[in-house]
Amino acid sequence: MNLGNPALVLLLGILTLPIAGCGGGSSGGNATDTPGATENTLLPERPALESSYLSIDEESEVFLAVDFNGSSFQGSASETGTASNITIVADDEGVYLHTPSVDAPRTVELFLTFTNENSTFREPISVHVRNTSAETLEKRTRQTIDDSASLLRLEQDLTLYHFAVDTAYLNGVIKHSEKSRLIEDFVPEHSLAYSLLDSKLSELGTTYSDYHQGHATDVELNQLVQQIDVLARDHGAYGVEKLMSISHFSEIFAPTLTAGTLSFSEQAGFFSRFVGNPVYGDWHGQTFQLKPPYNMITSLLRTSLSQDVLCDAI
């Protein structure tokens, strides 16, 4: 193209000029200059809860601090939209939560509703209500579950039985074949109460798990614990029977091993015929001490949860 032509240069200059109304050029006004333009309206700030999780005793009150940020508390509802038994009352600095009586630990998922001008805020909060009236039962249940294996095996009686038979063998009172026969003769599974006791202990474990999920009540737990107490007593009779059958071996190291019935010791935290039985010893504060005639088997008799039962015969 020949740019030396004056007419052509003039034409090109005209074509490059901005054309009004067609959006060309960079010298036009921007949005902030447009008459009547307004800024975006700011939304109200959400309320701020001190915590979104609370663990509270039943039939008690706890305060939860809230920064309302200009909002007003309107009420609460459970996650499912149904009414909650937890009463919530607001004041200027937060809300008070009042918990009802419960028959199992309960966790309630709530929404606290606040309004500010035309805005509504729903703040989630999880409230765990402890069944404090059943704390003793809960502890007893845990200890029973923990002691299940020992209870089913009649561990205490079995240990003493083996010790007596081993001692008789070492003293030359019986031959090895007789020792083996006697050892094999103690079979806790042959107890008439074993099968049902085993079943109830398994049921207790399942029910206790359901209880903590709010699917079983403390009444159900208590019924199972009482049933297990009866079955444990009957099951323990088998151990007494076996110890009586070899009492002529055990008399050399203990006056008797068959006194008492198998029951749960609240103070010790496990099932025993010995702990708490005045035939065998006495409580000294929180410690059960065996009487002198039983000193030889101190390591064999379990008197506390922390004690390891040892057999010293062999």
Side-chain angles (χ1 to χ4, degrees):
M1 179 180 293
N2 184 6
L3 297 179
N5 188 330
L8 183 58
V9 171
L10 177 61
L11 176 61
L12 290 174
I14 293 172
L15 291 175
T16 58
L17 289 175
I19 300 174
C22 294
S26 59
S27 61
N30 56 42
T32 58
D33 298 327
T34 304
T38 59
E39 295 183 357
N40 292 332
T41 303
L42 294 176
L43 293 175
E45 190 173 353
R46 301 187 72 94
L49 308 184
E50 180 184 27
S51 175
S52 61
Y53 175 80
L54 295 173
S55 183
I56 316 172
D57 291 345
E58 63 176 336
E59 297 184 300
S60 65
E61 177 184 275
V62 68
F63 178 75
L64 175 65
V66 178
D67 186 346
F68 290 95
N69 288 320
S71 295
S72 299
F73 177 67
Q74 298 300 314
S76 65
S78 70
E79 193 174 44
T80 59
T82 60
S84 166
N85 289 331
I86 298 175
T87 303
I88 303 179
V89 179
D91 72 0
D92 294 338
E93 297 182 352
V95 294
Y96 289 90
L97 292 89
H98 305 262
T99 57
S101 173
V102 295
D103 55 10
R106 305 286 179 183
T107 299
V108 182
E109 305 297 336
L110 297 174
F111 284 104
L112 305 187
T113 302
F114 302 85
T115 58
N116 190 341
E117 297 178 356
N118 295 323
S119 298
T120 299
F121 304 102
R122 299 176 74 234
E123 302 299 325
I125 181 172
S126 180
V127 182
H128 176 73
V129 184
R130 295 186 292 267
N131 187 13
T132 49
S133 61
E135 285 181 347
T136 300
L137 175 62
E138 290 176 3
K139 179 181 178 181
R140 167 66 200 280
T141 302
R142 289 193 303 271
Q143 290 175 331
T144 298
I145 293 171
D146 291 343
D147 198 39
S148 293
S150 176
L151 172 60
L152 286 169
R153 292 183 65 245
L154 292 174
E155 191 171 71
Q156 183 66 91
D157 288 344
L158 182 62
T159 299
L160 292 169
Y161 181 90
H162 281 192
F163 181 80
V165 172
D166 287 341
T167 300
Y169 170 69
L170 292 175
N171 289 337
V173 177
I174 58 175
K175 295 181 178 180
H176 188 272
S177 58
E178 178 66 2
K179 171 197 166 183
S180 298
R181 185 192 69 79
L182 289 171
I183 292 297
E184 292 175 359
D185 194 46
F186 194 118
V187 185
E189 289 84 352
H190 290 175
S191 159
L192 295 178
Y194 181 90
S195 180
L196 187 53
L197 176 60
D198 186 20
S199 175
K200 288 298 179 181
L201 286 169
S202 296
E203 186 180 349
L204 182 65
T206 301
T207 303
Y208 190 58
S209 177
D210 291 343
Y211 166 80
H212 277 286
Q213 297 175 40
H215 303 318
T217 67
D218 48 20
V219 173
E220 294 172 81
L221 277 184
N222 190 51
Q223 288 175 343
L224 278 171
V225 167
Q226 290 182 8
Q227 291 171 2
I228 288 170
D229 283 348
V230 174
L231 291 168
R233 180 195 64 202
D234 296 342
H235 184 49
Y238 177 87
V240 172
E241 176 187 335
K242 290 302 176 183
L243 284 170
M244 288 183 67
S245 70
I246 51 94
S247 59
H248 50 295
F249 298 154
S250 63
E251 287 173 353
I252 64 172
F253 57 79
T256 180
L257 296 177
T258 59
T261 57
L262 187 59
S263 60
F264 189 85
S265 169
E266 298 285 351
Q267 198 161 348
F270 53 86
F271 286 87
S272 178
R273 284 192 303 106
F274 303 92
V275 176
N277 190 327
V279 171
Y280 302 107
D282 302 291
W283 286 105
H284 295 268
Q286 298 298 312
T287 304
F288 185 77
Q289 295 183 0
L290 295 173
K291 292 180 178 180
Y294 295 93
N295 285 344
M296 187 175 175
I297 56 172
T298 298
S299 64
L300 303 178
L301 286 174
R302 185 187 186 195
T303 57
S304 70
L305 283 171
S306 60
Q307 179 183 349
D308 292 325
V309 175
L310 305 173
C311 186
D312 298 332
I314 297 178

